[in-house]
Amino acid sequence: MTSVEPPDRPGDDVEPRNWVDRRRERIRDEIARNRRGEYTVPTWVLAVALAAMVGGWLALVFLV
């Protein structure tokens, strides 16, 4: 995945941005990506869904 630098804003060269500003910028970027439809489901969610389906299938096979 490539990283895109945000456009220069007035004052960026005067003082460095702190971690709160960087975090807010990342959150804004993520919201913008999600609104464009570029969101993805986290891997752990897919793993939990798969485990639940396999567990339910095994319970159905062995308990019924």
Side-chain angles (χ1 to χ4, degrees), residues 10-25:
D12 276 349
D13 54 351
V14 175
E15 64 183 51
R17 293 173 26 200
N18 60 15
W19 69 272
V20 174
D21 291 335
R22 289 190 306 266
R23 180 167 169 77
R24 285 182 184 150
E25 188 69 31

Side-chain angles (χ1 to χ4, degrees), residues 23-40 42:
R23 180 167 169 77
R24 285 182 184 150
E25 188 69 31
R26 282 195 304 266
I27 290 170
R28 276 190 216 107
D29 291 343
E30 182 176 353
I31 290 171
R33 281 192 308 270
N34 290 346
R35 287 182 178 167
R36 289 190 305 264
E38 298 177 16
Y39 59 91
T40 57

Side-chain angles (χ1 to χ4, degrees), residues 41-59:
V41 178
T43 304
W44 68 268
V45 172
L46 296 175
V48 168
L50 177 62
M53 287 188 284
V54 170
W57 182 79
L58 289 174

